[in-house]
Amino acid sequence: MSLSSTTTIWAELRHADASEVPFLRVMIHQLANYVNLPHLCSASDASLLSSLFPSPPLPPFFSFTTLLLHLSSVPPLPSPQTLSITSLSLSFPSPIADPDRSAFSSPLRKDDHTIAGFIICFPRYSTYLAKPGLHIEDVFVREPWRRKGLGRFMITAVAKKAAEMGMGRVEWCVLDWNSNAKAFYESMGAVVLSEQRLCRFSGPALERFKSGNGEERKEDDSM
């Protein structure tokens, strides 16, 4: 999408549709490349469709919730919250070229628009607060549209939804080397918890539990 000087565009955060999975898959792989982890990314259209869009569908924000960032040269039409979460108008002082604009055009819309990013979240629970919360799995903005407030726009929308639902927390992970991201999150008021570390079973380490209970208990086990 190319914008003339001081042209206003509209950003809208919408619930993703199953037909938009190919756009999501491409952006997930772009995100993996951006953080230098392409070898860990195996997401396919089929795996995303089966895991994020079950039938019958589960309630948003009480299950895996995928939101797509749409940018348009015209204001969004009124939509129920089952489709649209929020929108925002933005003005830029100089043109912004998006060479992939047409490749990210949703078949569900007929206006001049492009899908520029996504955010995926799902519910979690805090035993200390005795309240539910939301975990943001990933937030991503395509390269031409970065550093323009759109990541903040998406995170703010999810945090607002969590607050409105009476939740206790919104949490996510950040790569330790990504100082720019940590500074950005802190500028929004988030606290980076340096005293905590993420623990994970995946791949073979997870599969071994199918046939048993993993490793035998060790004498120095603390739990």
Side-chain angles (χ1 to χ4, degrees), residues 64-187:
F64 298 117
T65 301
T66 305
L67 305 172
L68 295 181
L69 173 66
H70 291 253
L71 301 181
S72 177
S73 58
V74 298
L77 296 173
S79 299
Q81 280 207 334
T82 53
L83 295 178
S84 180
I85 299 299
T86 187
S87 62
L88 176 73
S89 63
L90 298 167
S91 295
F92 297 97
S94 58
I96 298 173
D98 182 356
D100 295 324
R101 178 191 67 82
S102 60
F104 285 90
S105 179
S106 172
L108 299 179
R109 297 181 59 168
K110 305 302 181 183
D111 58 337
D112 176 30
H113 83 284
T114 189
I115 295 172
F118 72 90
I119 188 167
I120 294 177
C121 61
F122 54 86
R124 60 178 302 160
Y125 188 80
S126 168
T127 53
Y128 289 1
L129 298 178
K131 283 186 174 184
L134 288 176
H135 178 86
I136 296 174
E137 177 63 18
D138 279 317
V139 57
F140 176 77
V141 178
R142 292 198 292 108
E143 195 280 330
W145 301 101
R146 291 175 193 156
R147 294 172 293 279
K148 294 172 176 60
L150 295 170
R152 182 184 296 267
F153 168 66
M154 289 191 286
I155 294 172
T156 297
V158 169
K160 182 176 185 293
K161 190 68 176 179
E164 290 173 346
M165 295 173 69
M167 294 182 170
R169 291 175 176 168
V170 175
E171 295 181 319
W172 61 95
C173 297
V174 60
L175 292 169
D176 188 59
W177 56 261
N178 199 338
S179 57
N180 288 337
K182 287 190 282 189
F184 166 63
Y185 297 143
E186 288 175 332
S187 75

Side-chain angles (χ1 to χ4, degrees), residues 12-34:
E12 184 183 18
L13 197 58
R14 297 175 61 90
H15 287 284
D17 182 81
S19 66
E20 296 170 317
V21 160
F23 308 117
L24 179 63
R25 185 252 309 156
V26 171
M27 290 188 290
I28 288 173
H29 283 268
Q30 289 179 347
L31 171 60
N33 286 323
Y34 178 69

